[in-house]
């Protein structure tokens, strides 16, 4: 892929790496290897926020509005699915579904959702990311509409660094002093999502300068950040965001911008496609899949067998999450085609580059043409 083409294949590839890293954050491998993998995987969520911010820089309000609506719809879909899981768990435990549903809608739960992005649903903690992203899009949409082309990118960068400093002081800093750390107070839209998003917008404003950098040095920076994060974890016994984690995520994002090409066609058809189209579904449903296996392990022998094999469990959840994501993505693509008035045949529409792509998913960007005439581009809808 050349610079300026429809996809940043390298970023799509690393989104794929990031989404499977998230699984190893939530479902640990046993022993010190699991702790080390968990520490190294912490770059994943910052990378997603950086990407969202990068592709939001200079995006017009109508594009941000579309991203906001799509994010809200996807979050609603995930919440309804987890609410159904909660009802099933309530019945499995002998409780009343009516009482369970009434217990979800309280003022305390509403306050926790706004302040900390906590959902009163089972196995829903990954959804804090989507709730945070939705809130950020709403704020950025309003800011863009208000200031238009006069966004103070330097001031936003300073604000991002300040919020990250507060996050690190309340997290790693308190851990160094032997004090307790409440992860809910630091892993939220205010001290995690917003600063990385704003840092991503600053990187978007510096895109030409970043593209002029040598990717090799940036990858060395990412490796150095990962090693620093491991050292910090050994010093603090703290598993969350470290200074090295921030360095690794920023360097990975910059390296993908500076060197976007992926030469392997196999990787472009598999891992890059996963990074473009499947990340939301895997992010939202890998923990519920684990929850179903855990809650019904006493009645389903296969689940009990999997739960007893901690080395195998995260890989099994990754496979099941991927299969579910492929099915949901295909169903969403089919539904979009139905809404738009029927399926377009391959003889009617063809991409202007290469063969017919996989079903268009969330965040894809594909240029279509009729008889070689460009029909415009489908730009990244979320930055994922």
């Amino acid at each position: 892929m050349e610079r300026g083409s429809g996809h940043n294949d390298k970023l799509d590839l690393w989104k794929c790496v990031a989404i499977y890293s998230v699984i190893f954050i939530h479902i640990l491998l046993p022993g010190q290897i699991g702790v080390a993998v968990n520490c190294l995987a912490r770059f994943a969520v910052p990378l997603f926020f950086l990407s969202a911010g990068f592709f939001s820089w200079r995006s017009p309000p109508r594009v941000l509005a579309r991203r906001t609506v799509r994010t809200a719809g996807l979050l609603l879909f995930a919440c309804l699915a987890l609410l159904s899981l909660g009802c099933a768990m309530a019945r499995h435990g002998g409780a009343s579904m009516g009482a369970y549903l009434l217990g979800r809608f309280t003022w305390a739960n509403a306050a926790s959702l706004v302040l900390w992005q906590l959902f009163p649903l089972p196995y829903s903690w990954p959804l804090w990311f989507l709730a945070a992203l939705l809130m950020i899009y709403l704020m950025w949409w309003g800011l863009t509409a208000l200031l238009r082309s006069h966004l103070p990118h330097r001031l936003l960068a300073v604000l991002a660094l300040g919020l990250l400093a507060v996050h690190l002081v309340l997290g790693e800093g308190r851990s160094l002093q032997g004090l307790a750390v409440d992860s809910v107070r630091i892993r939220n839209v205010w001290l995690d999502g917003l600063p990385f998003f704003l840092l991503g917008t600053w990187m978007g404003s510096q895109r030409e300068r970043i593209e002029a950098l040598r990717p090799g040095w940036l990858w060395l920076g990412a490796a150095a950040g990962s090693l620093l994060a491991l050292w910090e974890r050994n010093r603090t016994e703290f598993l969350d965001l470290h200074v090295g984690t921030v360095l690794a995520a920023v360097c990975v994002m910059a390296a993908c911008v500076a060197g976007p090409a992926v030469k392997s066609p196999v990787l472009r058809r598999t891992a890059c496609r996963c990074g473009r189209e499947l990340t939301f579904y895997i992010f939202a449903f890998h923990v519920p899949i684990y929850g179903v296996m855990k809650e019904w392990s006493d009645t389903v022998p296969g689940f009990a067998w999997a739960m007893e094999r901690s080395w195998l469990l995260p890989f099994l959840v990754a496979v099941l999450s991927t299969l579910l994501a492929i099915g949901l993505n295909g169903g969403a693509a089919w539904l979009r085609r139905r809404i738009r008035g029927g399926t377009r045949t391959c003889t009617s529409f063809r991409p202007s580059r290469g063969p017919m792509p996989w079903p268009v998913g969330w965040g894809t960007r594909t240029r279509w043409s009729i008889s070689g005439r460009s029909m415009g581009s489908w730009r990244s809808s979320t930055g994922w």
Side-chain angles (χ1 to χ4, degrees), residues 331-365:
W334 175 85
L335 183 60
R336 284 193 296 270
R337 289 195 299 266
R338 296 287 295 180
I339 292 174
R340 289 169 185 161
T343 305
R344 297 184 176 105
T345 63
C346 294
T347 57
S348 299
F349 285 80
R350 291 186 184 275
S352 59
R353 302 189 308 272
M356 182 66 85
W358 295 94
V360 176
W362 188 31
T364 61
R365 179 183 175 188

Side-chain angles (χ1 to χ4, degrees), residues 281-295:
Y281 302 107
I282 296 174
F283 200 106
F285 292 109
H286 71 279
V287 170
I289 287 174
Y290 166 79
V292 169
M293 297 171 66
K294 180 180 178 180
E295 296 296 330

Side-chain angles (χ1 to χ4, degrees), residues 74-158:
L74 294 166
L75 178 60
L76 179 60
F77 171 73
C79 288
L80 291 176
L82 292 183
L83 186 63
S84 300
L85 174 61
C87 291
M89 289 173 58
R91 290 196 60 182
H92 182 70
S96 166
M97 283 196 298
Y100 172 80
L101 290 173
L102 288 176
R104 303 309 95 196
F105 302 99
T106 65
W107 287 111
N109 288 339
S112 295
L113 178 60
V114 173
L115 291 175
W116 317 118
Q117 295 75 64
L118 294 178
F119 290 80
L121 299 171
Y123 300 101
S124 62
W125 56 86
L127 293 188
W128 82 267
F129 168 82
L130 278 177
L133 187 62
L134 175 61
M135 294 172 68
I136 291 170
Y137 275 144
L138 286 170
M139 289 186 284
W140 188 254
W141 178 18
L143 187 64
T144 302
L146 180 64
L147 299 180
R148 299 186 183 275
S149 61
H150 304 289
L151 290 169
H153 62 272
R154 291 187 180 86
L155 179 61
L156 294 175
V158 172

Side-chain angles (χ1 to χ4, degrees), residues 302-339:
F303 291 168
W305 178 87
M307 295 299 297
E308 293 171 357
R309 288 158 175 80
S310 54
W311 279 100
L312 179 64
L313 186 59
F315 297 98
L316 182 58
V317 170
V319 171
L320 294 176
S321 301
T322 303
L323 293 175
L324 177 62
I326 292 173
L328 291 174
N329 183 63
W334 175 85
L335 183 60
R336 284 193 296 270
R337 289 195 299 266
R338 296 287 295 180
I339 292 174

